[in-house]
């Protein structure tokens, strides 16, 4: 992974292949771009005319805009890369963390194939160090495991963060946290991007087991035999059609001084064909990403362990492959779930809620202070919120608000969604306790209501439907690559931090 250092050197004197500076949109009707704090030495090398040169080249300072130009004499780096920061903040105001994070990511992406870059973006506090470091490390991500290396460029190899203070405890801690978070988010991205012929329930469980042992986290894997003995009808019902058997992985981090415990539950459908309710062509090509929720939970638990958070965090990875075959679950079949409830399966392509239901019921037995499940659950949520925002539902309004605020603080767009009681009736079944489908309208909310049925009584619970932002099918933007994004990892980690600090519950 890309290396990160905090440097006391000046932007003009540090030896690097490129120096990154920020420019903002000036205010006023005739205002052009303005050079952002941190770039003073670079501007001086241009004779104080860097903003004018950039404007001549068409730069405006808009967010995410990237402009490269050769360096004048006086700079050690041969290339200057100016990245837009949007409208310049007012007096006594600073650039928002997400603006810096996104700008650093855009710059790092533009420097793919470069060995070393100096980032001279605005740094006033440890929060700025964290944002720039996160953005740059996440933006430098590439997935080239299946390419021969001849055509693929290597990611930016080294980042020197100028303006940060390596001996300042807060700055150093911010950088170390950013490195941990980026490494685990990129691990989640790798998992999402791995083809399903190589990532299936057993191999995913093996990855989790190896990482758990490396970081001193306890892990337990239930295979088909154990799942059958335990009565996990939902997970088994989804996985029964595949040659690759299902797994339920429990990965647990504990801290001796923890006062609170969290349970994270992740949907891990390593490939979703839809089962007997087969997806049509055009809807199944990216379904390797249907395990993004489990990847996020896995990454969050390992992050909590590496950061030494004073909170107990248990992750449940509900892993299965949803395939059609002579042994697959059929529409009309009834499954007896781990909780004892029976579910009539009306659509085998509504499989995520079935594996999550078993995992939620099992997680509830440990009576955590809160449960959060994460899943690429419904296309309906994408229709409602688009491809960059995930929905937040909960059985407690205050907790839903807290999760939403935590996500926004972490830099992940989210939106609180309701769980209307009137939609529950649509899942009534004449044969079983509940059906796995209800009304078509409000399908994302119906799925949330289904999951709520399997949460233990009195346990606070939230559901994150990350169907939109988990996998980017469009062009890269900011620090977000094409493909797996690592959605929800930062939210889960920040939620664990807030819980450890006594801010929640």
């Amino acid at each position: 992974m890309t290396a990160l250092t905090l440097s006391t050197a000046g932007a003009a004197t540090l030896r690097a292949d490129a120096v990154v500076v920020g420019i903002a949109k000036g205010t006023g009707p005739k205002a052009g771009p303005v050079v952002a704090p941190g770039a003073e030495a670079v501007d001086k090398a241009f004779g104080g005319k860097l903003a004018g040169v950039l404007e001549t080249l068409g730069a405006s300072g808009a967010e995410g805009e990237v402009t490269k130009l050769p360096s004048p004499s006086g700079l050690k780096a041969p290339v200057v890369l100016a990245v837009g920061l949007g409208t310049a903040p007012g007096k006594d105001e600073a650039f928002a963390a997400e603006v810096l994070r996104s700008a650093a990511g855009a710059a790092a992406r533009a420097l793919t194939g470069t060995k070393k870059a100096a980032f001279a973006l605005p740094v006033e506090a440890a929060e700025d160090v964290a944002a720039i470091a996160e953005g740059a490390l996440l933006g430098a991500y590439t997935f080239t495991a299946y390419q021969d290396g001849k055509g693929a460029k290597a990611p930016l190899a080294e980042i020197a963060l100028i303006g940060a203070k390596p001996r300042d405890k807060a700055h150093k801690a911010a950088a170390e946290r950013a490195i941990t978070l980026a490494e685990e988010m990129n691990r989640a991205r790798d998992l999402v991007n791995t083809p399903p012929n190589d990532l299936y329930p057993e191999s995913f469980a093996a990855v989790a087991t190896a990482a758990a042992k490396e970081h001193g986290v306890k892990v337990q894997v239930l295979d088909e035999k154990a799942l059958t003995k335990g009565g996990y009808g939902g997970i088994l019902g989804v996985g029964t059609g595949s040659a690759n058997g299902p797994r339920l992985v429990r990965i647990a981090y504990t801290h001796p001084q923890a006062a609170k415990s969290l349970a994270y539950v992740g949907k891990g459908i390593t490939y979703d064909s839809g089962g007997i309710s087969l997806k049509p062509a055009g809807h199944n090509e990216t379904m390797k990403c249907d395990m993004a929720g489990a990847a996020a939970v896995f990454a969050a638990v390992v992050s909590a362990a590496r950061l030494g958070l004073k909170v107990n965090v248990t992750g449940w990875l509900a892993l299965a492959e949803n395939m059609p075959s002579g042994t697959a679950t059929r529409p009309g079949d009834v499954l007896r779930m781990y909780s004892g409830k029976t579910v009539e399966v009306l659509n085998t392509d509504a499989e995520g809620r079935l594996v999550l239901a078993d995992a939620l019921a099992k997680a509830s037995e440990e009576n955590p202070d809160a449960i959060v499940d994460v899943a690429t659950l419904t296309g309906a949520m994408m229709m409602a919120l688009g491809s960059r925002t995930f929905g937040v539902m909960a059985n407690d309004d205050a907790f839903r608000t807290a999760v939403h605020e935590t996500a926004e603080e972490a830099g992940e767009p989210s939106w609180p969604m309701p769980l209307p009681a009137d939609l529950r009736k649509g899942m009534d079944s004449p044969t079983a306790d509940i059906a796995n489908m209800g009304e078509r309208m409000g399908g994302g909310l119906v799925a949330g209501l289904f999951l709520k049925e399997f949460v233990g009584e009195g346990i606070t619970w939230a559901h994150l439907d990350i169907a939109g932002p988990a996998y980017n099918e469009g062009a890269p933007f900011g620090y977000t690559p094409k493909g797996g994004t690592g959605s929800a990892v930062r939210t889960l980690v920040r939620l664990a931090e807030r819980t450890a600090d006594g801010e929640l519950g």
Side-chain angles (χ1 to χ4, degrees), residues 248-424:
L248 177 62
V249 179
R250 179 184 185 272
I251 178 170
Y253 160 70
T254 57
H255 192 285
Q257 298 176 31
K260 297 286 185 179
S261 62
L262 295 173
Y264 292 156
V265 176
K267 172 187 172 183
I269 305 300
T270 56
Y271 181 74
D272 181 20
S273 70
I276 297 297
S277 306
L278 193 67
K279 293 179 184 290
H283 293 266
N284 54 18
E285 292 83 355
T286 61
M287 282 297 103
K288 65 181 181 179
C289 78
D290 216 17
M291 38 57 66
V297 165
F298 166 47
V301 175
V302 175
S303 294
R306 292 180 61 181
L307 294 170
L309 303 183
K310 294 182 180 179
V311 59
N312 296 333
V313 185
T314 302
W316 299 88
L317 317 182
L319 309 176
E321 190 174 67
N322 188 23
M323 297 291 286
S325 73
T327 61
T329 293
R330 298 153 290 236
D333 282 357
V334 173
L335 304 177
R336 185 170 295 280
M337 311 295 281
Y338 178 79
S339 68
K341 287 181 183 287
T342 55
V343 176
E344 182 181 10
V345 179
L346 299 180
N347 187 327
T348 63
D349 196 23
E351 84 299 328
R353 64 199 70 182
L354 298 176
V355 301
L356 287 172
D358 274 356
L360 285 167
K362 182 62 177 177
S364 295
E365 290 183 348
E366 297 185 359
N367 199 33
D369 291 289
I371 298 177
V372 180
D373 77 70
V374 188
T376 48
L377 204 60
T378 65
M381 195 57 62
M382 292 182 68
M383 292 292 289
L385 299 178
S387 61
R388 297 190 184 185
T389 303
F390 61 74
V392 182
M393 286 153 268
N395 60 2
D396 180 277
D397 288 348
F399 189 58
R400 181 185 63 186
T401 298
V403 172
H404 168 58
E405 291 175 348
T406 299
E408 295 293 315
E409 180 186 341
E412 298 199 277
S414 69
W415 198 252
M417 302 292 283
L419 289 173
D422 61 285
L423 291 178
R424 170 59 182 84

Side-chain angles (χ1 to χ4, degrees), residues 176 179-184 187 214-215 217 253 299-309:
E176 290 175 347
I179 291 170
T180 295
L181 204 56
E183 286 179 351
E184 295 309 323
R187 191 206 298 265
E214 179 185 354
H215 297 291
V217 176
Y253 160 70
V301 175
V302 175
S303 294
R306 292 180 61 181
L307 294 170
L309 303 183

